[in-house]
């Protein structure tokens, strides 16, 4: 690394770094010491989270569902939750700790966060009701979709989109309209316009 | 919501009124000639007799009232609330390539926060020789660059994966803006702190409650990423990250972290919520792509389009639209009026530039018959914008993000246009 070239800025103090550097990586780096039980998590969740996410993390109205959806990822309408989709538990801890509850973020202690994450795991049937999550056993939890992700492979699987000479003439024999937005009629402020009959 | 007010609604009724008025105009002003003297010419108008506003009337101006439909629009049913939500740039009504900041789309995860320059701090930490804190004033003292880039939300056109849903280019393609940014290369700030040899990634996060943390490989961070504080000549708008945002050329908008507060040099990626739960693309077999950073070549005809119908009848017609690619410059755009059976090369208003919007035109003599209007972009890497069928063949219908398919507008004989899919 080079020596400072402009000499601008000032050294960050340890307290400042500790206040802002809260991220937790998949290997557990960044997790503070602490623990929380499913039982405590259930209570905390009921107070701070259930109004949007439901008593059992099943979601209320349009708010995100945190539990359920196992085995649906290849379905027509997959249900992607912490249990069915998220590859790493670290993400759940990190995100809840820093950005939840919505509208009152950064109010949960480390122990609160362990407890709430333990309850989310329980809601997804991934741990028993007497489970206690801590920085010690954090990596022992297996996330069902941990192997469900591949690196961006567009340049291989979509290599045929790179083409020297795209068709310019006689590219299709016929063209038919197969779907129409006016039939669905969900565009805002079109409520007074009756959908037209299909052709 | 204000967006729902009838004033801003391009309703079918308004369309029909407009079409009727334009029809009358066509008779008066068309090849048939005037039926009588035009009072707008023969009678002295108010604006030609009295005076207009003084120069002190508008210290900072807004568009004239007659352009009140050229505004951001919200689609209520898309998200649970308006705080973690999206709105849409009125691309159907714009021309050229620079997006006016005041109607450039917004996407927040915990709302548009208000952060004064005096309260602004940027921290560089992690695998660096010297963790640093910068004030806003510090940032303005580093050597600066100016660059024009598009910022496209990864979810732009995402509602259209399974079919034609929203009727208008603003809604199907309006999660995008294109601005001239002034700022400091992220590389400069990282070099100021001294990146250590183990550093392979940076983790960037915002000052807002959502934080929007994302991991970026060090090569990209050291290449063309900007720490920007001006856009289109003036300070960033509050809703676009005032006073400082990240500009990540060619890459999905989610990574353009607003209200940027921290850059951490790391050995590995954080795998944050915004790169695991979100901004991962599920394929038909249930596996999902992650780190799909680049936005592929894409285009859309902005006029005619459902919100910009043809009101002037047959004859000369300007077909225009936008093309862009995260893989480089746009090298060409083809336009079809028959649903992709035949294609005509469009005219680029200016040569394409790296990872920025490009305006295209096709000057067309419309005979008044129906058209199935499409555009197809090509970029410097040789990539040709695919059809939706081609994309679905590889990805299925549940990717949510990165839908860069060819769009079709069905232009009817009366000039009205509709979002459709074709075989």
């Amino acid at each position: 690394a080079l020596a400072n070239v402009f000499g601008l800025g000032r050294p960050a103090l340890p307290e400042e770094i500790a206040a802002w550097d809260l991220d937790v990586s998949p290997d557990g780096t960044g997790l503070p010491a602490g623990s929380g039980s499913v039982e405590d998590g259930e209570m905390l969740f009921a107070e701070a989270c259930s109004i949007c996410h439901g008593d059992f993390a099943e979601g209320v109205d349009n708010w995100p569902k945190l539990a359920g959806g196992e085995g649906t990822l290849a379905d027509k309408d997959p249900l992607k939750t912490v249990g069915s989709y998220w590859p790493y538990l670290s993400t759940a801890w990190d995100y809840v700790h820093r950005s939840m509850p919505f509208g009152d973020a950064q109010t949960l202690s480390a122990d609160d966060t362990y407890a709430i994450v333990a309850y989310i795991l329980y809601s997804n049937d991934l741990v028993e009701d007497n489970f206690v999550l801590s920085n010690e056993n954090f990596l022992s939890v297996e996330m069902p979709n941990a192997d469900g992700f591949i690196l961006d492979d567009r340049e291989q699987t979509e290599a045929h989109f790179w083409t020297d000479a795209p068709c310019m003439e006689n590219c299709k024999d016929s063209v038919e309209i197969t779907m129409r937005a006016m039939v669905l009629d969900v565009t805002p402020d079109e409520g007074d316009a009756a959908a037209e009959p299909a052709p | 919501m204000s967006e729902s007010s009838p004033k801003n609604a391009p309703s079918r009724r308004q369309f029909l009124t407009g079409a009727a008025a334009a029809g009358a105009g066509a008779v008066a002003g068309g090849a048939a000639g005037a039926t009588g003297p035009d009072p707008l010419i023969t009678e002295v108008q108010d604006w030609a007799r009295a005076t207009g506003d003084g120069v002190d009337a508008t210290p900072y101006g807004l568009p004239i009232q007659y352009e009140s439909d050229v505004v951001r629009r919200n689609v209520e049913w898309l998200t649970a609330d308006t705080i973690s939500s999206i709105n849409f740039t009125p691309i159907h009504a714009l021309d050229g390539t620079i997006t006016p900041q005041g109607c450039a789309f917004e996407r927040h995860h915990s709302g548009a926060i208000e952060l004064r320059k005096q309260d602004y701090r940027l921290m560089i930490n992690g695998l660096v020789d010297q963790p640093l804190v910068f004030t806003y004033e510090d940032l303005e003292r580093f050597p600066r660059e100016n660059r024009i880039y598009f910022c496209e939300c990864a979810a732009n056109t995402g509602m259209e994966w399974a079919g034609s849903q929203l009727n208008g280019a603003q809604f199907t393609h309006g999660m995008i803006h294109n601005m001239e940014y002034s700022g400091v290369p992220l590389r400069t700030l990282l070099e100021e702190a001294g990146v250590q040899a183990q550093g392979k990634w940076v983790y960037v996060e915002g000052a807002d409650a959502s934080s929007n943390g994302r991991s970026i490989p060090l090569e990209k961070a050291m290449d063309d990423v900007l720490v920007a504080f001006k856009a289109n000549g003036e300070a960033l708008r509050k809703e676009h990250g005032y006073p400082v945002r990240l500009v990540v050329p060619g890459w999905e908008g989610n990574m353009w972290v607003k209200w940027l507060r921290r850059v951490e040099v790391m050995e590995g990626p954080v795998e944050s919520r915004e790169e695991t739960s979100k901004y991962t693309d599920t394929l038909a077999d249930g596996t999902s792509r992650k780190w799909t950073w680049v936005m592929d070549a894409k285009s859309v005809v902005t006029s005619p389009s459902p919100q910009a119908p043809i009101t002037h009848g047959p004859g000369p017609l300007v077909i225009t639209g936008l093309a862009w690619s995260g893989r480089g410059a746009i090298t060409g755009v083809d336009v079809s009026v028959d649903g992709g059976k035949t294609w005509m090369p469009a005219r680029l208003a200016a040569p394409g530039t790296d990872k920025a919007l490009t305006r295209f035109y096709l000057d067309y003599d419309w005979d008044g018959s129906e058209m199935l209007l499409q555009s197809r972009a090509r970029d410097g890497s040789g990539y040709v914008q695919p059809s939706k069928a081609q994309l679905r063949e590889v990805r299925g219908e549940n990717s949510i993000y990165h839908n860069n398919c060819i769009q079709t507008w069905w232009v009817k004989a009366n000039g009205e246009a509709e979002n459709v899919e074709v075989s």
Side-chain angles (χ1 to χ4, degrees), chain B residues 243-254:
Chain B
V244 175
R245 84 171 307 164
L246 209 61
V247 168
V248 191
W251 287 20
E252 58 189 12
N254 177 255

Side-chain angles (χ1 to χ4, degrees), chain B residues 44-53:
Chain B
V44 175
Q45 302 297 310
D46 284 349
W47 58 81
R49 183 176 55 236
T51 58
D53 292 337

Side-chain angles (χ1 to χ4, degrees), chain A residues 9-89:
Chain A
R10 58 146 178 100
L13 301 177
E15 299 90 330
E16 294 171 331
I17 296 173
W20 275 9
D21 183 352
L22 302 171
D23 54 82
V24 180
S25 292
D27 66 1
T29 304
L31 275 176
S35 66
S37 65
V38 170
E39 199 182 347
D40 288 345
E42 182 173 24
M43 203 174 61
L44 288 162
F45 198 89
E47 280 172 22
C49 320
S50 63
I51 189 164
C52 296
H53 296 296
D55 289 339
F56 308 100
E58 79 282 16
V60 173
D61 298 333
N62 254 349
W63 296 101
K65 298 166 172 54
L66 308 182
E70 306 82 20
T72 66
L73 297 181
D75 291 359
K76 185 168 170 56
D77 291 306
L79 175 53
K80 301 190 204 178
T81 70
V82 176
S84 70
Y85 192 63
W86 292 34
Y88 305 109
L89 192 60

Side-chain angles (χ1 to χ4, degrees), chain B residues 78-306:
Chain B
L78 275 179
T79 50
D81 75 338
T82 57
I83 304 299
S84 180
S85 192
I86 187 85
N87 63 26
F88 298 86
T89 304
I91 56 168
H92 63 288
L94 302 177
D95 210 324
T97 59
I98 295 295
T99 313
Q101 291 200 80
C103 64
F105 88 101
E106 304 166 70
R107 202 292 186 239
H108 317 301
H109 292 79
S110 49
I113 60 166
E114 192 168 293
L115 177 55
R116 301 188 312 163
K117 284 177 182 171
Q118 298 94 305
D119 298 335
Y120 180 77
R121 299 290 183 273
L122 174 61
M123 182 184 290
I124 312 273
N125 75 308
L127 298 170
V128 292
D129 295 337
Q130 176 61 65
L132 292 172
V133 171
F134 298 112
T135 62
Y136 180 82
E137 290 71 26
D138 292 333
L139 295 182
E140 284 201 328
R141 297 173 65 189
F142 285 100
R144 224 171 285 170
E145 291 185 359
N146 286 263
R147 297 277 187 271
I148 299 173
Y149 295 119
F150 73 81
C151 173
E152 183 185 18
C153 179
N156 199 21
T157 323
M159 302 80 72
E160 304 288 310
W161 270 110
S164 306
Q165 281 217 63
L166 287 160
N167 207 32
Q170 177 169 22
F171 302 108
T172 57
H173 290 75
M175 297 182 194
I176 193 165
H177 56 60
N178 191 67
M179 302 188 190
E180 182 194 41
Y181 294 98
S182 307
V184 176
L186 178 56
R187 177 194 339 109
T188 305
L189 303 182
L190 289 170
E191 284 172 350
E192 192 75 11
V195 175
Q196 297 180 343
Q198 317 94 283
K200 298 286 180 256
W201 293 75
V202 296
Y203 182 67
V204 290
E205 66 177 10
D208 62 317
S210 83
S211 102
N212 199 61
R214 288 288 312 245
S215 306
I216 300 176
L218 190 66
E219 305 84 73
K220 179 70 174 178
M222 299 298 272
D223 180 16
D224 55 3
V225 175
L226 287 178
V227 175
F229 35 81
K230 296 281 172 72
N232 294 350
E234 61 181 351
L236 296 170
R237 295 292 170 97
K238 169 178 120 175
E239 61 270 31
H240 297 140
Y242 180 92
V244 175
R245 84 171 307 164
L246 209 61
V247 168
V248 191
W251 287 20
E252 58 189 12
N254 177 255
M255 308 177 83
W256 294 47
V257 172
K258 296 185 287 190
W259 314 291
L260 179 72
R261 84 167 190 188
R262 196 170 68 90
V263 179
E264 180 181 1
V265 179
M266 304 184 73
E267 212 169 332
V270 168
E271 304 270 11
S272 69
R273 186 252 196 183
E274 305 292 326
E275 54 199 2
T276 55
S277 169
K278 306 298 176 189
Y279 307 100
T280 49
D281 315 349
T282 301
L283 303 170
D285 67 359
T287 62
S288 302
R289 289 172 175 163
K290 67 175 181 180
W291 302 342
T292 47
W293 299 311
V294 177
M295 302 306 290
D296 281 315
K298 185 167 174 178
S299 68
V300 65
V301 172
T302 52
S303 179
S305 67

Side-chain angles (χ1 to χ4, degrees), chain A residues 1-13 16-17 19-26 62-64 73-78 80 85-88 90-91 94-95 98-100 102-103 105-106 145 147-155 157-158 160-164 166-190 192-194 196 199, chain B residues 3-4 9-10 12-13 73-75 77 80-81 83 109 121 123 125 129-134 138 141-143 162-167 171 188 192 194-195 203 205 209-211 261-262 264 266 270-273 276-277 280 282 284-294 296 327 334 338-343 372 376 381-384 390-391 394-395 398 402 410 412 418-423:
Chain A
L2 298 167
N4 288 2
V5 276
F6 296 99
L8 293 170
R10 58 146 178 100
L13 301 177
E16 294 171 331
I17 296 173
W20 275 9
D21 183 352
L22 302 171
D23 54 82
V24 180
S25 292
N62 254 349
W63 296 101
L73 297 181
D75 291 359
K76 185 168 170 56
D77 291 306
K80 301 190 204 178
Y85 192 63
W86 292 34
Y88 305 109
S90 57
T91 312
D94 173 274
Y95 184 68
R98 186 176 29 228
S99 298
M100 287 288 140
F102 190 61
Q106 304 201 71
N145 197 41
D147 297 325
F149 294 81
I150 58 169
L151 292 182
D152 182 2
D153 63 351
R154 279 176 286 178
E155 291 182 32
T157 56
E158 297 174 6
H160 54 295
F161 296 170
W162 279 264
T163 170
D164 287 340
C167 179
M168 295 298 286
E169 283 180 16
N170 303 315
C171 304
K172 296 174 183 176
D173 290 335
S174 67
V175 174
E176 303 297 332
I177 292 172
T178 54
M179 293 198 86
R180 297 184 51 193
M182 293 287 275
V183 173
L184 204 58
D185 196 24
V186 291
T187 308
D189 305 322
E190 295 279 337
D192 61 338
E196 291 188 341
Chain B
E3 288 85 346
S4 315
R12 181 166 164 72
R13 191 172 300 145
R73 302 282 304 281
N74 174 44
V75 177
W77 55 264
D81 75 338
I83 304 299
H109 292 79
R121 299 290 183 273
M123 182 184 290
N125 75 308
D129 295 337
Q130 176 61 65
L132 292 172
V133 171
F134 298 112
D138 292 333
R141 297 173 65 189
F142 285 100
S164 306
Q165 281 217 63
L166 287 160
N167 207 32
F171 302 108
T188 305
E192 192 75 11
V195 175
Y203 182 67
E205 66 177 10
S210 83
S211 102
R261 84 167 190 188
R262 196 170 68 90
E264 180 181 1
M266 304 184 73
V270 168
E271 304 270 11
S272 69
R273 186 252 196 183
T276 55
S277 169
T280 49
T282 301
D285 67 359
T287 62
S288 302
R289 289 172 175 163
K290 67 175 181 180
W291 302 342
T292 47
W293 299 311
V294 177
D296 281 315
R327 296 186 191 272
D334 301 319
D338 59 10
K341 284 191 207 170
T342 56
W343 294 88
L372 292 169
R376 182 180 69 186
S381 75
Y383 181 99
V384 178
Q390 281 179 296
L391 279 180
V394 180
R395 307 186 194 172
N398 284 324
H402 292 281
W410 175 27
K412 300 159 199 182
E418 181 178 346
N419 175 14
V420 297
E421 274 187 22
V422 294
S423 58

